Amino acid sequence: MTSQISRRRFLASAAGLVIGLTLPIRARAQSGAAAALQSGATAEAVFAPNAFVRVAPDDTVTVIIKHIEFGQGPFTGLATLVAEEMDADWAQMRGENAPANNELYKNLAFGLQGTGGSTAMANSYMQMRKAGAAARAMLVAAAAEEWGVPAEEITISKGQISHSSGQSSGFGALAEKAAGMTPPEDPPLKAAADFTLIGTDRPKLDTAEKSNGTAIFTMDVYRDNMQMVTVVHPPKFGATVASFDDAAALDVPGVFAVRQIPQGVAVYADTFHAALKGRAKLIVEWDENGAETRSSEQMYAEFSSAAADGGMEAERIGDGGDGIADAAQVIEAEFRFPFLAHAPLEPLDGVIEVGEGKAEAWIGSQFPSLDVPALAQVLELDPADVTLNVMFAGGSFGRRAQDTAHFAAELAEVAKAAGGPGAFKLIWTREDDIQGGYYRPLTVHKLRAGIGSDGSLTGWEDIVVNQSIMAGGPMAQMIQDDMDPTSFEGASRMPYDFANARVGWVPRESPVTVLWWRSVGHSHTGYATEVFLDMVLEAQGKDPVQGRLDLLKPDAARDRGVLEKVAEMAGWDGTLVKDGKAYGVALHESFETYVAQIAEVSDDDGMPKVHRVWCAVDCGVAVNPNVIRAQMEGGIGYGLGTVLFDEITLGEGGAIQQANFDTYRMLRINEMPEVLVEIIASDEAPTGVGEPGLPPIGPAVANAWRALTGKTVTQLPFNRAAEA
């Protein structure tokens, strides 16, 4: 078998910095740097002023992107920053996934190489601009020396370096000379008024390859004599292998071996089809002594009861929840949120090649800094002997952000159990992924509010009950005073001026594996708080928009800005139902990005049909408005499908009841509403947009639905009530 990806390594030096890169041959995104190497050009012909910028002789500028690209736009966004400061032409820009190298490519927000928490743009904004500015300064210095003119007389526009004498050059012709220039320690950056690329729509760098099939994902990676592997995992969380019979599996043509690994039983074959057939023939006995045997309904009941003691105090304002019971009117509601799978288009997959005391892996790795040590530990190698190539990935929504590095560990276990050198591709099926856990935690919110005889809000209380996604893993260091802030984020630090409020958290434990899910805690706190607030405002006889505006804290200017803007966009006049359509609003800040949405909803045979969604977003400097709008639209579509249809349920004895898109379905194209997005102009530092578009859509729809039908949906998804 011939490898479909040929690897070339080069050393590009600048000011003593030496970097090794893996460059796939295919894919336009890398064509400039890769072409220079494949044509036999010397390392000096590629200008590498720092860890992030490569200029090839053909004038292309390749930006090394330290954040994995799975559709959320870092290739485009971070390349825009570099191009802006270099005064490059957008047509010459390319992107390349950074290799695993924590020292060079760590996320400045949390100190390790990884993507998450909508931090890619926020932590890279100044870093990537400075990388581009440094490259520009070195190109200018090279031109000044080459032409014998003062550097300050040289200009660059759209990738052309020019002097008033008539001399001009592209980047590539000066690349070799520029490599010998001294990089500036702190290059000056442009003023915002001088931006030509930042703040303007640019086509995404990775769109063409992903449209024509030339983009390389892990599924496209093949190594010589590679074996295909699938693993049968326990049918219940916490169960382990007691024994197995592989006789029938080994009789399947193409099956090479069956091996037990800590995660289950692995089947090795010459094709994935053969591996699946072999897996189906396996007879496995499971030890369920440590398994989760409760059903989802039993867990809901236990979580609801656990809320009674109020939990640990996450936030207290004024008198907290004291006095609510003595208010003239007390409003109460319990909200239930199911386990949720991430269901990315591309399930987990990876390739590993081991031999001669070294290992090389290809994974759509969201946390390379955790995956490399996991691979090394299982294979008993020095991490320096492990190479991890970060690949394009077909979605994540949190699924690949594994603090336990469980998939990398499983991939390494597959290689280790094989008992010798070789190449192996491990693929999880859709069913493996849907039933494999690492879900958003099942959660219960118990809310109470008091309204005084004068109609004022006298108290607010929210008790959150769920399982920590951080406990027991490397991220446990983020737990403060025994409290996991991701469990209740968004329920605390609300923008509303509650004179008396309390948020409590009750942690629960389960063998069910849980993980970040798009917008993390905000995915349920946004729904619970904004739907409950609408109930309170209704009881007070207040307009949902004006009531929120009146409640906002004096310093909540950005919340106020998006709420006023979305009301203006939708032509809000206080009419909640008109011509068979209802209107609901929601406001939520997450990851320092402020979003307000209004949904237009009708009744479609007992289920909401969402016609339009107006969305206002304030994410600071809008680096690429096209990407921002796309992420708002994507978050709305993803969140809408989830609240309408999705839940992972454990049946009697703890068995998972969903398996594929027939039982865990996505929003269909004909169900996607028209989405109108307005971006608030801002000079604040840019913040993330991958997650903040999701939290408001559920409550906006729910608030419209209550206005239309009088029904408050307190247990998701919506189709539960429709089918009851």
Side-chain angles (χ1 to χ4, degrees), residues 245-252 267 274-284:
D245 182 346
D246 61 5
L250 290 171
D251 283 341
V252 173
V267 179
L276 288 175
K277 288 187 68 176
R279 186 172 78 166
K281 296 288 186 180
L282 275 174
I283 300 173
V284 184

Side-chain angles (χ1 to χ4, degrees), residues 210-278:
K210 290 178 178 178
S211 300
N212 63 27
T214 60
I216 300 173
F217 294 78
T218 308
M219 199 67 74
D220 302 310
V221 178
Y222 286 87
R223 309 301 296 167
D224 291 337
N225 302 312
M226 185 177 72
Q227 297 182 35
M228 306 296 290
V229 185
T230 185
V231 175
V232 57
H233 299 103
K236 296 181 181 180
F237 297 104
T240 57
V241 177
S243 63
F244 67 94
D245 182 346
D246 61 5
L250 290 171
D251 283 341
V252 173
V255 172
F256 300 134
V258 177
R259 299 283 187 268
Q260 183 174 343
I261 60 175
Q263 295 82 1
V265 182
V267 179
Y268 303 71
D270 58 0
T271 67
F272 190 55
H273 179 65
L276 288 175
K277 288 187 68 176

Side-chain angles (χ1 to χ4, degrees), residues 124-160:
S124 303
Y125 183 63
M126 296 304 293
Q127 184 183 45
M128 301 304 286
R129 288 180 63 193
K130 285 184 178 292
R136 183 189 193 280
M138 294 168 74
L139 286 165
V140 167
E145 183 177 294
E146 181 81 7
W147 300 336
V149 299
E152 57 269 21
E153 294 181 2
I154 292 174
T155 61
I156 303 180
S157 177
K158 293 186 176 181
Q160 285 295 307

